[in-house]
Amino acid sequence: MIFARQAKLSTGWASNVRVSHADGWITAITVDQKSDAHDTCVDTLLPSLANLHSHSFQRAMAGMTEYRMAGKDSFWTWRDLMYRFTANLTPEHIEAIAAFVFLEMQEAGYASVGEFHYLHHQAGGMPYADLGELSGRIAAAAATTGIGLTHLPVLYSYGGAGQVPLETGQARFGNSVDRFNDLVARARDAVAVLPADCRVGIAPHSLRATSPDDLKSVLAAHGDGPVHIHIAEQPKEVADISAWLGARPVEWLLANADVSSDWCLIHATHMTADETLNMARSGAVAGLCPVTEANLGDGPFNGPSYLEAKGAFGVGSDSNVLISLTEELRTLEYSQRLRDVARNVMVIGEGSVGETLYMGAAKGGAQALGRGGGEIAVGELADVVAIDSTAPSLCALHQDQLFDGLVFAANDNVITDVWSAGRHCVRSGHHVKRDEIVRGYKAAMQSLVASL
Ligand code: ZN
């Protein structure tokens, strides 16, 4: 039983709230109660966010790509370094890094993660004896941390638009459709041992890494769960896909696949007004990764017209250069302000920008990971987070200003507790297994850096 001095329920703010949960689900909510001696007492309870897009291993190279080389640095030179880095990763490294990354996400206030998993094989491209070895490592990291995992094995078959063969650096990612189907089956086995809120979807990496026929084939085989795809992140990608398929990436996808509310389109940065409107109407979630998109120089999302068309959105930490829920949400808004030379952009009409961003991302993130409605209500997963509204950065604010304070004026250190489907993983600001997981991460980094 959780007792909160105040809570943002699906029906609005309430005081002195008791939330009961069992087997991961919220079973009862009562308001205007007194706390019981056995309750876990918190200050302010909110629905927690899903981190809808992560490549956990990339956390280990954070800070290594911020040095300007001769000539203009770009997304594509970053990608080259990432390929060289992945060549040295062992299964043990991958598990230790993922556990640390999931811990950081939970301490930042995320209850769940969509792990967009494309590192499948040994360096050089030879599959492991168990094709699902590395999916198993991600599942093991989820088991250690208790995070709610939506595992998204990635179909990555080509090195570029037009079925270009894979480059050497991409050999660890590659699968034919047949082998991908086997891999998904192994991933399902690996995730089956996790709690029931954890699940498997699929992720065709991008239009440039698949082909129209392959895409059709994997959607026919696995189209029943979350489907995530990178789309329109970079102008070069838009140009390459347009030249190959005769349509821009989002335009082509909407015309050639049954894009629905089960889909999450990651980035969707470079869209025309029509693409923006049609994507919003499709019911798919825009998987925005503002910190990574700023870090990689991708560009800002077309926020105002997408919101106006009632498009669903959520946030992800993608490259994991920095894991911070508050930073992610405020970077989303600030990218819009800088482009539009305006303030308070990501809200329709009048209202709190912080609340629009936070509650919108809670709903969209939960939808994208197949985790329900993303709100505190009976029958929803117990994905909840507690913040301390008496912290110096929040103590002067009214209840209806709290989300604005959290998003624009506070850091993740106001997070006190996180429950992932009822698993109480963060207490007093720290993950319950912090020492053990950090030790494992540091040991992995020591061995990895020595191998570079
Ligand atoms: Zn990504």
Side-chain angles (χ1 to χ4, degrees):
M1 206 87 86
I2 304 168
F3 178 85
R5 190 181 64 76
Q6 57 183 355
K8 181 72 170 178
L9 307 178
S10 59
T11 47
W13 282 108
S15 299
N16 300 317
V17 180
R18 295 185 85 202
V19 176
S20 312
H21 58 94
D23 300 325
W25 300 90
I26 296 173
T27 52
I29 297 173
T30 50
V31 302
D32 301 325
Q33 300 290 304
K34 286 198 166 62
S35 64
D36 188 278
H38 302 293
D39 291 350
T40 299
C41 294
V42 298
D43 178 72
T44 301
L45 197 68
L46 308 175
S48 64
L49 265 63
N51 183 336
L52 56 66
H53 188 66
S54 158
H55 313 286
S56 55
F57 75 87
Q58 292 180 13
R59 178 72 176 130
M61 54 181 272
M64 294 181 186
T65 61
E66 311 302 330
Y67 183 93
R68 183 160 175 156
M69 307 293 281
K72 192 167 182 265
D73 208 357
S74 74
F75 171 86
W76 305 97
T77 53
W78 171 88
R79 198 182 68 158
D80 286 345
L81 188 132
M82 187 264 284
Y83 289 171
R84 290 204 299 279
F85 190 79
T86 58
N88 294 291
L89 289 169
T90 66
E92 291 72 23
H93 292 145
I94 287 164
E95 181 178 338
I97 296 166
F100 177 66
V101 168
F102 295 166
L103 167 152
E104 284 195 296
M105 290 174 184
Q106 289 171 298
E107 289 187 348
Y110 295 109
S112 59
V113 60
E115 180 65 18
F116 196 105
H117 173 76
Y118 60 86
L119 208 47
H120 299 305
H121 311 308
Q122 302 181 56
M126 177 76 87
Y128 289 98
D130 171 3
L131 188 58
E133 167 75 33
L134 297 184
S135 284
R137 297 295 182 152
I138 298 297
T144 301
T145 56
I147 202 165
L149 175 69
T150 294
H151 185 55
L152 300 159
V154 170
L155 173 69
Y156 200 124
S157 306
Y158 304 105
Q163 297 177 255
V164 172
L166 293 175
E167 297 168 22
T168 314
Q170 297 165 327
R172 297 192 78 171
F173 318 155
N175 284 299
S176 65
V177 167
D178 284 345
R179 195 163 75 184
F180 178 71
N181 290 338
D182 293 344
L183 181 69
V184 173
R186 293 295 302 122
R188 287 190 196 282
D189 293 342
V191 171
V193 303
L194 297 176
D197 59 292
C198 297
R199 66 200 63 234
V200 174
I202 59 162
H205 177 272
S206 55
L207 293 181
R208 66 178 191 269
T210 184
S211 71
D213 285 347
D214 288 359
L215 181 63
K216 204 170 178 179
S217 171
V218 295
L219 290 175
H222 312 286
D224 55 341
V227 181
H228 290 217
I229 185 168
H230 288 128
I231 201 123
E233 179 177 7
Q234 289 273 325
K236 180 180 185 307
E237 179 188 3
V238 176
D240 289 354
I241 297 299
S242 299
W244 175 37
L245 298 175
R248 299 165 57 86
V250 173
E251 180 188 12
W252 187 91
L253 188 72
L254 293 174
N256 289 277
D258 188 15
V259 175
S260 67
S261 56
D262 287 336
W263 282 65
C264 183
L265 275 51
I266 307 299
H267 305 304
T269 309
H270 299 281
M271 294 195 291
T272 62
D274 277 353
E275 285 177 306
T276 306
L277 185 63
N278 291 333
M279 182 179 154
R281 285 177 177 159
S282 74
V285 177
L288 309 177
C289 309
V291 170
T292 295
E293 288 156 9
N295 182 270
L296 294 178
D298 290 343
F301 178 69
N302 191 2
S305 44
Y306 187 75
L307 271 198
E308 200 71 49
K310 300 194 166 38
F313 69 93
V315 293
S317 57
D318 194 4
S319 71
N320 296 311
V321 62
L322 176 73
I323 296 169
S324 165
L325 187 156
T326 55
E327 188 78 14
E328 216 64 77
L329 293 173
R330 67 178 155 260
T331 303
L332 173 55
E333 169 66 17
Y334 286 163
S335 66
Q336 308 293 306
R337 293 187 187 189
L338 286 165
R339 180 198 55 211
D340 295 351
V341 197
R343 298 192 71 251
N344 299 338
V345 179
M346 289 293 281
V347 65
I348 302 166
E350 282 185 28
S352 155
V353 180
E355 182 170 344
T356 304
L357 289 171
Y358 189 98
M359 295 303 283
K363 287 194 166 130
Q367 178 186 324
L369 299 197
R371 293 181 72 83
E375 55 186 12
I376 303 179
V378 173
E380 294 290 347
L381 277 177
D383 284 345
V384 291
V385 57
I387 65 169
D388 177 12
S389 71
T390 69
S393 53
L394 302 176
C395 66
L397 302 175
H398 302 300
Q399 196 175 54
D400 55 9
Q401 295 172 319
L402 265 185
F403 284 106
D404 292 329
L406 177 63
V407 172
F408 295 104
N411 288 317
D412 296 337
N413 59 10
V414 299
I415 308 281
T416 61
D417 297 77
V418 174
W419 287 260
S420 294
R423 298 179 291 278
H424 193 181
C425 300
V426 174
R427 300 170 190 232
S428 305
H430 292 295
H431 194 283
V432 292
K433 292 190 186 165
R434 172 167 252 283
D435 292 348
E436 160 196 340
I437 293 169
V438 169
R439 220 174 13 251
Y441 178 74
K442 285 186 174 175
M445 289 310 291
Q446 215 166 18
S447 109
L448 185 56
V449 168
S451 75
L452 283 177

